Amino acid sequence: AQPMGFYSSRALIDDVARHGVRVLPVDISHSGWDNDLEWHGKELCLRLGFREIKGLREEDGKCIEVMRKEKRFESISELASRSGLPNSVLRRLARAGALRGLEPDRRSATWTVDGLWPGLFAGQEREEQVALPLSTPLEELQADYRAMGLSAPDGSGKHHPLGHCRERLRREKVKSIADLAACRAGQRVVVAGLIASRQRPQTASGVLFLGLEDETGMLNVVVWPSLYARQRHLIRSRSLVRIRGLLQKQDGAISLVAADVQPFELDEQDFTVPGRDFH
C-alpha cells in the first residue's frame, strides 16, 4: 500500500514487530513480490517481499514466483539459467541477502553471481573459489539498509543502527524512546535516533516535525523555526542524530520539543537513509 505519507515501509514493519508479529526476511525460496503472511507452525508471520529491494522490477519478482512454483531453486546457477534474469538483477537479490536460501552468506552469494558467465554461457559458474571474510553484524545491517532501506526485526534490536550501540548510549545517559514512558512531563532528556520523516505543514507557522526512531519505537520531535534556521543543514542532511529537549506528555501521547540537534555517529560511520520528507 505504499506510498503512505509519513510512514516508510521500515516504520510500518518495525511497528508490526513491536506488536509481537514475527517478521521474516526476503528469501528467494519463500518470498513473493508483495509482503505476505506465512505460517510457521501455529505462528502467523509477516514475510517480506521482493518489492522491498530497491530497483527490483515487479516483473522480475513475479518471474521468480512463477519459476519457483514449477520447481524449487537448488542453486544460484540454476536460478540464473531457469529464470533468465540478468546478472544485474541477481546481484540486487544477492546484496539484499535474498539468496540466503541458496547461499547463506551474502558476500559469497554476491561473489557467485559476479562469477556467472553472461550471454551464451549464462547460469554457468566460473571455477575460481575464494575464501571471503565473514561480514560483521554492523556490516550486514548496512548492507540491508543500502539494498532495502530496512532490516527484518529479529527481536534483538540489532535490525536498527541504534540497537548496535545501546550500552554506549546508556553510559552517556541517552534514553531510548521506550524509556520516555517512565519520564515525567517537562523533564529535559537526550535521545538519539534515525530521522524517519521531516514534515513542515503550511499551517504550522514554520514549525518542523521530525519522526525520530530507534530500535524501541518512534517519537515525534518538534523543532521551532529559530532552531531550524540555525541547524537547517544538519537536520536535513543527517540521518542519525542526537537531540536534547523538553519532554511533553498529553493524553497518552509523548513528544519532544528540541533545544539542540547534533550529529550522531555509529562506530565512526553515518547511516544515510532517505526519510519520508515533506509529504
Side-chain angles (χ1 to χ4, degrees):
Q2 289 290 346
M4 288 185 66
F6 295 167
Y7 300 107
S8 64
S9 291
R10 183 182 66 251
L12 296 171
I13 289 165
D14 283 359
D15 194 55
V16 164
R18 285 192 290 272
H19 282 80
V21 177
R22 183 180 170 198
V23 179
L24 304 173
V26 183
D27 191 320
I28 194 73
S29 299
H30 302 285
S31 293
W33 171 251
D34 289 316
N35 298 333
D36 205 353
L37 297 176
E38 183 177 310
W39 285 102
H40 275 244
K42 296 183 178 180
E43 183 182 14
L44 189 59
C45 308
L46 174 66
R47 170 69 71 178
L48 300 186
F50 296 122
R51 66 161 52 248
E52 299 301 343
I53 301 176
K54 296 177 182 177
L56 194 71
R57 300 183 304 171
E58 183 174 356
E59 61 192 83
D60 293 332
K62 291 193 171 178
C63 169
I64 294 169
E65 286 188 74
V66 171
M67 292 288 130
R68 195 178 62 224
K69 286 179 181 178
E70 296 175 358
K71 181 185 175 184
R72 181 184 178 88
F73 299 116
E74 300 295 339
S75 68
I76 293 175
S77 57
E78 183 197 350
L79 167 65
S81 60
R82 282 178 52 202
S83 68
L85 294 173
N87 285 22
S88 59
V89 173
L90 298 175
R91 195 172 297 113
R92 288 186 190 277
L93 293 166
R95 290 175 176 172
L99 301 184
R100 57 174 51 85
L102 307 176
E103 171 53 65
D105 181 70
R106 190 191 314 247
R107 284 180 174 172
S108 295
T110 304
W111 181 268
T112 299
V113 169
D114 286 343
L116 293 174
W117 289 101
L120 182 63
F121 300 101
Q124 299 184 34
E125 297 180 26
R126 297 184 175 96
E127 295 183 359
E128 183 180 6
Q129 298 293 322
V130 175
L132 299 173
L134 295 177
S135 302
T136 66
L138 184 55
E139 287 172 336
E140 283 289 301
L141 180 68
Q142 287 178 307
D144 277 344
Y145 271 61
R146 281 194 296 267
M148 299 181 289
L150 59 89
S151 186
D154 61 1
S156 70
K158 297 300 177 66
H159 68 288
H160 193 282
L162 273 292
H164 286 261
C165 57
R166 182 52 58 191
E167 290 304 316
R168 166 192 155 192
L169 290 168
R170 287 196 180 100
R171 291 194 300 270
E172 296 174 358
K173 309 299 183 185
V174 177
K175 295 189 178 297
S176 72
I177 290 172
D179 291 338
L180 300 181
C183 297
R184 69 180 187 279
Q187 184 174 338
R188 295 189 180 279
V189 298
V190 179
V191 295
L194 187 66
I195 297 179
S197 63
R198 301 168 178 86
Q199 308 298 331
R200 202 180 188 192
Q202 293 182 352
T203 56
S205 302
V207 176
L208 178 71
F209 298 96
L210 302 178
L212 189 76
E213 65 177 43
D214 66 11
E215 79 280 18
T216 71
M218 184 171 289
L219 176 68
N220 188 39
V221 179
V222 179
V223 179
W224 295 121
S226 56
L227 176 61
Y228 183 55
R230 294 198 307 273
Q231 298 186 298
R232 182 178 185 276
H233 178 72
L234 186 155
I235 291 170
R236 295 193 63 154
S237 64
R238 294 299 292 254
S239 295
L240 288 173
V241 294
R242 185 190 304 248
I243 301 178
R244 176 175 54 85
L246 196 68
L247 195 63
Q248 290 187 330
K249 291 187 174 184
Q250 185 175 3
D251 299 327
I254 299 175
S255 60
L256 185 71
V257 178
D260 183 60
V261 181
Q262 294 297 328
F264 177 74
E265 292 190 349
L266 180 62
D267 291 345
E268 300 181 352
Q269 301 176 52
D270 178 44
F271 271 66
T272 301
V273 181
R276 301 288 293 173
D277 297 336
F278 309 109
H279 284 269

